[in-house]
Amino acid sequence: MKKLSVSFLICLLCIASFSAQAGRGERGHEGPSPEQKVEKLKEELGLDAQQAESLLNIFTAADMEREAMRAEHEKLIRQDMCALFISTNDQVEAVLTADQYAQLDEMMQRRAEHRAEHDSWRGRDGRQRPSLDDCEAAVESA
């Protein structure tokens, strides 16, 4: 009986989760699109066509600026993470012998391959952690 109750609860939570996601629209967690915002305001405030068009332009421009800010922020974080990765790697390399470091490098490559394989199973659209070479190239170009 207890297993049946737990199974029922899990099913109920899954259904609630899918229902909540279905109400979000195409943009997922980001909220309504500019068009959706304008439609809602049009209904609630009785906007005329000119007001609706002006608000659509404002909301669209704000979304584009927000996306640009988000992309710049992610770029800065990636650069900082790469700098930390390189620094940490240099410190580890100083502690290990050449043979140990070579073994560690091989282990990390196998792990990255394994992670990439599993990420494709999970549908992670090709996002991967940067390698040491990627980070060194990014820091040199910055």
Side-chain angles (χ1 to χ4, degrees):
M1 182 68 181
K2 187 175 181 179
K3 287 182 181 182
L4 183 61
S5 297
V6 172
S7 297
F8 178 73
L9 182 60
I10 290 172
C11 288
L12 190 60
L13 289 173
C14 289
I15 291 170
S17 174
F18 287 124
S19 297
Q21 289 176 359
R24 293 182 187 165
E26 295 175 12
R27 294 167 50 103
H29 69 281
E30 296 177 16
S33 69
E35 293 82 6
Q36 291 169 329
K37 290 177 189 175
V38 170
E39 273 305 310
K40 183 171 180 162
L41 291 175
K42 202 186 236 187
E43 291 172 13
E44 293 181 6
L45 302 177
L47 303 177
D48 63 29
Q50 185 179 3
Q51 290 174 312
E53 185 178 338
S54 294
L55 289 179
L56 180 60
N57 291 336
I58 291 168
F59 294 152
T60 301
D63 268 11
M64 291 172 60
E65 189 171 341
R66 188 178 307 104
E67 280 303 312
M69 292 169 74
R70 185 176 290 134
E72 182 63 25
H73 180 71
E74 288 174 5
K75 179 180 171 187
L76 292 173
I77 288 174
R78 182 170 287 277
Q79 288 173 349
D80 289 346
M81 293 298 287
C82 278
L84 177 62
F85 185 45
I86 291 169
S87 170
T88 302
N89 186 67
D90 291 346
Q91 292 174 37
V92 168
E93 187 176 11
V95 172
L96 300 178
T97 66
D99 288 340
Q100 290 170 327
Y101 185 76
Q103 277 183 294
L104 176 64
D105 189 44
E106 185 180 318
M107 288 167 46
M108 289 172 54
Q109 287 177 3
R110 282 195 313 262
R111 185 171 163 201
E113 290 168 4
H114 180 76
R115 189 179 313 114
E117 188 177 306
H118 283 274
D119 285 350
S120 68
W121 292 349
R122 294 181 193 136
R124 292 222 179 146
D125 64 1
R127 290 180 289 155
Q128 295 178 356
R129 293 181 187 172
S131 67
L132 182 60
D133 294 335
D134 294 337
C135 282
E136 289 172 341
V139 169
E140 288 174 10
S141 68

